[in-house]
Amino acid sequence: MFNDTSSLRTHLATRRSGKARDMITPGPDADQLHDIIALALRTPDHGKLAPWRIVTVAGDQRDILAKLLKDAWIADNPGAAGMDLSALDQFAHQAPTLLVLISTPVKDSKIPLWEQQMSAGAVGMNLLHAAHAHGFVGSWLTGWAAYSPAVAKAFGAGEGDTIVGYFFLGTAAADLSERPRPEYDDVVRAWDI
Ligand SMILES: Cc1cc2nc3c(=O)[nH]c(=O)nc-3n(C[C@H](O)[C@H](O)[C@H](O)COP(=O)(O)O)c2cc1C
């Protein structure tokens, strides 16, 4: 049981994503990262299937990631050059820390695929909260790099698996301003049956 609900509320009310390209060091150290991931794994999971995997990308693996992305992009877009490739380089190298979250649904389970995929999304949300709890900022990004089958395979995704997102973690360079949020009444209504 939480006995410090006001600080938990503050945590929930103040977390927001940062721009990965603006993140600076420090990122989480090894113990902090382990705890962030362990906290994120405390996620609702119908059937206790753990239908998700997290791949940590070490700092000295960023060049390998950049090459992987560029090779896969060129294979998909013959003749690609210049801006496209430098954007991929930038993507691969941004922020101090990078995790890749993969949805790995268990096939032929009685738990519907949708529920297993939602559980993977919940791990993603938990990662952002856990990073925030440790004083870091996170950013959940997808884009082409998340949907390239060649890139997914390089992260160990099998058939039916999907990259949920790249989770960049680090320190925010400046205070993050709040972004517009949906109006409560636009998205919440009493059941009017
Ligand atoms: C599944 C998913 C994928 C996303 N992919 C991107 C992306 O590729 N590029 C981007 O700018 N924002 C992306 N976002 C949005 C940001 O992660 C983030 O939600 C937004 O910037 C503000 O988030 P906040 O409410 O946590 O502050 C994605 C969000 C989700 C849930």
Side-chain angles (χ1 to χ4, degrees), residues 17 24 30 32 44-46 48-50 55 57 62 76 78 87 89 99 106 113 131 139 165 172 185 190:
S17 298
I24 58 174
Q32 289 170 319
D45 163 18
H46 192 178
K48 301 189 197 69
L49 298 173
V55 180
V57 179
R62 296 297 190 98
D76 281 2
D89 245 327
L99 307 173
V106 175
L113 174 66
S139 175
D185 290 335

Side-chain angles (χ1 to χ4, degrees), residues 15-18 91 125 128 138-143 147 164-165 178-179 181:
R15 185 212 59 81
R16 74 145 309 192
S17 298
F91 184 89
M125 183 72 254
L128 297 178
S139 175
W140 178 348
L141 300 182
T142 51
Y147 296 106
V164 176
E178 179 55 313
R179 71 173 176 91
R181 300 287 167 182

Side-chain angles (χ1 to χ4, degrees), residues 3-5 14 28 30 63 69 71 80-81 85 92 97 101 105 118 143 147 165 168 175 180-181 185 187 192:
N3 51 18
D4 188 7
T5 52
T14 57
D63 287 344
L69 296 180
D71 287 350
L85 299 183
T97 302
L101 172 60
M118 283 196 291
Y147 296 106
F168 293 94
D175 279 352
R181 300 287 167 182
D185 290 335
V187 294
D192 54 2

Side-chain angles (χ1 to χ4, degrees):
M1 283 294 288
F2 284 101
N3 51 18
D4 188 7
T5 52
S6 69
S7 68
L8 178 60
R9 194 204 167 279
T10 301
H11 168 101
L12 293 170
T14 57
R15 185 212 59 81
R16 74 145 309 192
S17 298
K19 284 191 168 52
R21 63 175 174 271
D22 292 341
M23 288 177 199
I24 58 174
T25 54
D29 65 23
D31 287 346
Q32 289 170 319
L33 188 61
H34 189 282
D35 193 56
I36 287 168
I37 294 173
L39 289 170
L41 299 182
R42 295 177 48 78
T43 289
D45 163 18
H46 192 178
K48 301 189 197 69
L49 298 173
W52 12 261
R53 294 291 181 270
I54 292 173
V55 180
T56 62
V57 179
D60 62 4
Q61 293 177 317
R62 296 297 190 98
D63 287 344
I64 299 169
L65 174 60
K67 183 172 183 328
L68 166 70
L69 296 180
K70 288 187 283 189
D71 287 350
W73 177 263
I74 291 167
D76 281 2
N77 304 276
M83 279 302 288
D84 291 340
L85 299 183
S86 64
L88 294 172
D89 245 327
Q90 188 278 330
F91 184 89
H93 288 101
Q94 63 192 344
T97 302
L98 172 58
L99 307 173
V100 185
L101 172 60
I102 303 172
S103 160
T104 57
V106 175
K107 294 172 192 65
D108 305 321
S109 166
K110 66 180 189 281
I111 307 302
L113 174 66
W114 166 234
E115 295 191 16
Q116 298 189 50
Q117 292 172 328
M118 283 196 291
S119 179
V123 172
M125 183 72 254
N126 252 358
L127 275 173
L128 297 178
H129 276 304
H132 181 53
H134 273 274
F136 298 103
V137 66
S139 175
W140 178 348
L141 300 182
T142 51
W144 169 83
Y147 296 106
S148 158
V151 175
K153 191 171 168 208
F155 282 113
E159 204 185 323
D161 298 347
T162 313
I163 292 181
V164 176
Y166 294 82
F167 288 77
F168 293 94
L169 310 178
T171 297
D175 279 352
L176 301 170
S177 56
E178 179 55 313
R179 71 173 176 91
R181 300 287 167 182
E183 289 298 327
Y184 183 96
D185 290 335
D186 287 346
V187 294
V188 181
R189 62 182 168 80
W191 194 23
D192 54 2
I193 193 168

